[in-house]
Amino acid sequence: MNDKTPSDSEEEDSDSESDSSEKEGSTITAFFNKLYSDFLRNWSCFRNVHNMLNIPTQAFPAPSSQQRVSSGGSGATGRKKVALKPGHSLMDWIRFAKSGKDLTGLRGRLIEVTSEELLKHNTRNDCWTCIRGLVYNITPYMDYHPGGEDELMRAAGIDGTELFDQVHRWVNYESMLKECLVGKMATKPVITNNAVIAPPPAPTSLAPPNSIAPPPEKDGRPRYDWFQTDSTVHLVIYAKRKIPSSGCTVVDLRGGVLRIEVLLQKMSYMIHLRLTDEVEENVSVQTAFTVGKIQLTIRKQNTGKWASLGQALESHNTFLRKQDRAVFYRDCALVSKTDVNHNTHVYRLQLPPGTVMHVPVGKHVYLKTNIQDAEVVRPYTPVDRTLWTPPDSAQDPDLYLMVKVYPDGLFTPHLHSIHPGGSVSVSGPEGSFSLRPLRDVTHLFLVAAGTGFTPMARLIDTALRDVQTIRKTKLLFFNRTEEDILWRSELDELAATEERFEVEYILSEPRESWSGTTGRVNETLLRETVSKPDGSKCFACVCGPDAFTKLTMGLLKQQGFEEQELHAFQG
């Protein structure tokens, strides 16, 4: 990371990892089928599809993005970043897309594309691809893509949904490529015994619990129930499995609409409905982790009994892969900004009333904002208020994000310009990291570069407090200069008072007075600082720029670390 300019390095802040669930073909929802029917009746209506779809609104990474995707959360293969031609930045693409030029080659027409037709457009100068049923001519975008044309050509002439999800599921391709829209993929109805199979109609209301037929015993899907008093409503979710004590429930209650998402490893269970009557936007959540039970309590504004819980909304009572969910955002207020060093700050964000959300250790959130008429999204890993939190302290509901501000960057200067009281949109927890592999670990090694330290901060606290089998947690912290070291005083204090923790700083551009380790990550340095004691069970986590992460992961494997003993926080 040390040879990058600020504009080249902005994405080193964005220390996300991406889910690597097994992929399957995208499906066309009933809502989208309705849009398609309108399209057949009136071709001109189809241009409004992007404004009508309820799909996450995020933007492509900046052209210098360091966002990468790991394989299974452990690998570090990543994708190549290429040097773009002058005048081919993200904002240059936005201006070019708005220039009014015909980027589809169809002079504004929208067509229905068959698989055979799509396959014909598979060359560098004539490249179409399909993402979730929509076909785009990505030929004009080739020179603007930060991953280079080779990455785009992998999806030339075919359905590129799976490849897209592997690299950047969070990108708002509809916004970025809307002027490149060719049309919609042709679909064939499924016919059995000469009858078209149609999905069952969505429920229109939620009856009291005694009228809901219980699911079969072998059904492993979560279910919910509810009961009430004159002044309260209680909703109970049965996950039918143990749930993580770190928290897995995200609740948003706004304007009488209740949205609950329960994160169960790679799966997501959702309740989404409009409540029968007005309620206070204050939700209490209690969880019985070992039995997999979650209970929400909401107070009614008007006393009395409800005939039903409410009206079912889109995606209500569904159990899907997490990566197939649209990313949901809520506006959070900026409470304060605290300096960490000369260019890094901790931003404290307050969740809105009616939202209950805890981001588990190792997970990240997406921040979204509008910059020059373009939606821009960056992922960040929350930290705690301090490195070491008192064990008896109440859990702080606010989010704390440690972000390095790059003067020539796109997102971070905008974030830093927001004054307390301003807002920024924040997603729910994302990422595939799990504490499960640490259950029997005796030695934990954390290798971080720059702001790659952020996922390590809470991991250090968890390892020392909650995982008693870990006898030693060691942090190798790579930076350019002493001034770049984040939370150095807190790290030094923790190392002095906690015998199970050790930190070593490695600088690439030290002053003459520096007496510590110097250089960059290499085989010799890791061999001298990371060793697997006899009879130990070790685990190593790595986070930093893509090149740093890939090199470090490879060197650790050469030293005898197995795939299951490694995790890369990519970004």
Side-chain angles (χ1 to χ4, degrees), residues 11 118 136 139 146 152 186 244 252 285 334 447-448 474 491 493:
E11 289 305 324
L118 179 63
Y136 298 92
T139 311
L152 291 180
D252 290 281
V285 180
L334 177 64
V447 187
K474 184 172 184 178
L491 289 168
E493 181 180 355

Side-chain angles (χ1 to χ4, degrees), residues 272-548:
H272 192 201
L273 52 99
R274 182 176 297 280
L275 298 175
T276 292
D277 203 350
E278 295 180 349
V279 295
E280 297 179 5
E281 291 188 349
N282 184 21
V283 183
S284 171
V285 180
Q286 294 179 314
T287 304
F289 301 102
T290 56
V291 298
K293 178 182 174 181
I294 304 163
Q295 180 169 321
L296 280 74
T297 300
I298 306 171
R299 296 195 64 82
K300 300 175 181 177
Q301 285 194 7
N302 306 309
T303 58
K305 292 296 179 67
W306 292 0
S308 67
L309 182 56
Q311 190 85 8
L313 300 177
E314 184 181 4
S315 300
H316 173 68
N317 199 22
T318 55
F319 191 46
L320 304 174
R321 292 186 310 165
K322 168 61 178 174
Q323 73 172 44
D324 291 336
R325 291 272 189 223
V327 180
F328 182 81
Y329 292 90
R330 71 278 301 151
D331 289 336
C332 296
L334 177 64
V335 176
S336 63
K337 292 181 280 190
T338 305
D339 295 342
V340 179
N341 64 10
H342 61 101
N343 59 11
T344 303
H345 317 272
V346 170
Y347 299 82
R348 181 178 181 178
L349 300 175
Q350 184 179 61
L351 297 170
T355 293
V356 177
M357 181 175 76
H358 173 67
V359 181
V361 173
K363 303 291 187 181
H364 60 273
V365 296
Y366 297 134
L367 266 60
K368 180 181 72 172
T369 190
N370 193 286
I371 302 175
Q372 298 184 27
D373 296 326
E375 288 180 338
V376 182
V377 173
R378 295 290 183 268
Y380 295 101
T381 302
V383 297
D384 289 325
R385 185 193 299 239
T386 58
L387 179 65
W388 180 257
T389 56
D392 57 349
S393 63
Q395 181 175 302
D396 192 334
D398 291 346
L399 288 176
Y400 295 84
L401 302 176
M402 185 181 289
V403 180
K404 184 175 182 179
V405 177
Y406 295 95
D408 296 333
L410 179 65
F411 188 89
T412 57
H414 178 85
L415 176 64
H416 195 60
S417 70
I418 299 175
H419 297 291
S423 66
V424 62
S425 296
V426 180
S427 78
E430 297 278 343
S432 63
F433 178 79
S434 172
L435 291 172
R436 186 175 301 174
L438 302 185
R439 286 176 178 171
D440 302 320
V441 166
T442 60
H443 290 72
L444 177 63
F445 298 98
L446 308 175
V447 187
T451 49
F453 164 72
T454 53
M456 309 303 186
R458 295 178 68 201
L459 191 52
I460 291 170
D461 183 277
T462 299
L464 296 179
R465 191 192 312 284
D466 300 331
V467 189
Q468 300 304 316
T469 60
I470 297 180
R471 301 197 294 267
K472 176 68 71 174
T473 297
K474 184 172 184 178
L475 171 66
L476 297 180
F477 199 177
F478 290 81
N479 282 279
R480 185 174 299 164
T481 68
E482 285 186 75
E483 291 74 22
D484 293 324
I485 300 174
L486 303 172
W487 274 355
R488 182 179 182 181
S489 61
E490 293 192 274
L491 289 168
D492 288 342
E493 181 180 355
L494 184 60
T497 57
E498 175 55 69
E499 62 180 10
R500 296 167 58 210
F501 177 69
E502 178 183 349
V503 59
E504 182 168 351
Y505 308 110
I506 302 96
L507 302 182
S508 61
E509 299 178 11
R511 294 195 297 260
E512 292 184 3
S513 59
W514 175 253
S515 59
T517 307
T518 62
R520 301 173 185 271
V521 64
N522 57 64
E523 180 181 1
T524 302
L525 191 153
L526 286 182
R527 189 168 57 247
E528 294 174 350
T529 54
V530 179
S531 60
K532 301 178 69 174
D534 294 338
S536 65
K537 183 176 180 181
C538 300
F539 196 84
C541 296
V542 181
C543 188
D546 183 67
F548 171 89

